[in-house]
């Protein structure tokens, strides 16, 4: 992994980066655990303004590696990890763990998560 990894709080100007990471992660990582119908359902649920509102309402961070957005995650005020995604080519480098550590520091309650089949191993 590059030595230049930076975690930044989400801003509205990051919405394109978040959507790109989500799409590439679903297409590149989740396809081994889900069929085409489920993948298409996930991808059809992206609505920029709604996602932006959600990320602004939650504590949300993006991971940047050499100025490229490579991962993101968010946690609700009641401690639920809502989304956590890392670009496939940057997975297994500790980025998701760094994002989770940052999110967990914001939690005032017990942390909960509903993980996909693909992410269960990570959250275990």
């Amino acid at each position: 992994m590059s030595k230049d990894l930076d975690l930044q709080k989400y801003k509205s100007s990051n919405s394109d980066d978040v959507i790109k990471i989500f799409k590439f992660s679903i297409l590149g990582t989740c396809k081994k655990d889900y069929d085409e119908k489920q993948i298409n359902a996930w991808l059809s649920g992206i609505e920029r303004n709604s996602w932006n509102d959600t990320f602004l309402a939650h504590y949300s961070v993006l991971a940047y590696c050499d100025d490229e957005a490579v991962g993101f995650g968010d946690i609700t005020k009641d401690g639920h990890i809502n989304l956590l995604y890392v670009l496939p080519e940057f997975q297994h480098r500790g980025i998701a763990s760094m994002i989770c550590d940052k999110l967990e520091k914001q939690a005032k309650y017990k942390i909960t998560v509903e993980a996909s089949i693909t992410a269960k191993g990570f959250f275990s």
Side-chain angles (χ1 to χ4, degrees), residues 11-124:
K11 301 175 290 212
S12 293
S13 60
N14 301 128
S15 63
D16 286 340
D17 289 334
V18 165
I19 290 170
K20 176 189 123 185
I21 293 165
F22 179 78
K23 285 182 178 178
F24 282 111
S25 296
I26 296 299
L27 291 169
T29 306
C30 297
K31 67 181 178 186
K32 69 182 181 346
D33 296 315
Y34 293 93
D35 63 26
E36 187 176 343
K37 184 177 178 182
Q38 180 62 47
I39 297 290
N40 289 336
W42 270 341
L43 295 176
S44 70
I46 300 171
E47 203 289 304
R48 182 181 271 55
N49 291 334
S50 175
W51 275 42
N52 183 57
D53 292 346
T54 297
F55 287 118
L56 291 173
H58 299 170
Y59 181 78
S60 309
V61 296
L62 274 83
Y64 288 88
C65 186
D66 295 330
D67 297 321
E68 177 185 1
V70 298
F72 73 91
D74 68 313
I75 190 167
T76 65
K77 290 179 172 127
D78 63 354
H80 182 75
I81 295 177
N82 183 46
L83 296 172
L84 176 65
Y85 287 92
V86 174
L87 288 173
E89 62 270 27
F90 287 90
Q91 292 176 2
H92 307 291
R93 299 183 189 192
I95 296 170
S97 295
M98 292 176 70
I99 293 170
C100 270
D101 289 345
K102 186 88 166 168
L103 298 176
E104 288 173 358
K105 288 179 182 171
Q106 297 300 311
K108 295 179 173 105
Y109 304 97
K110 180 180 176 182
I111 296 172
T112 61
V113 67
E114 295 171 31
S116 67
I117 293 168
T118 308
K120 281 195 189 282
F122 172 79
F123 285 108
S124 295

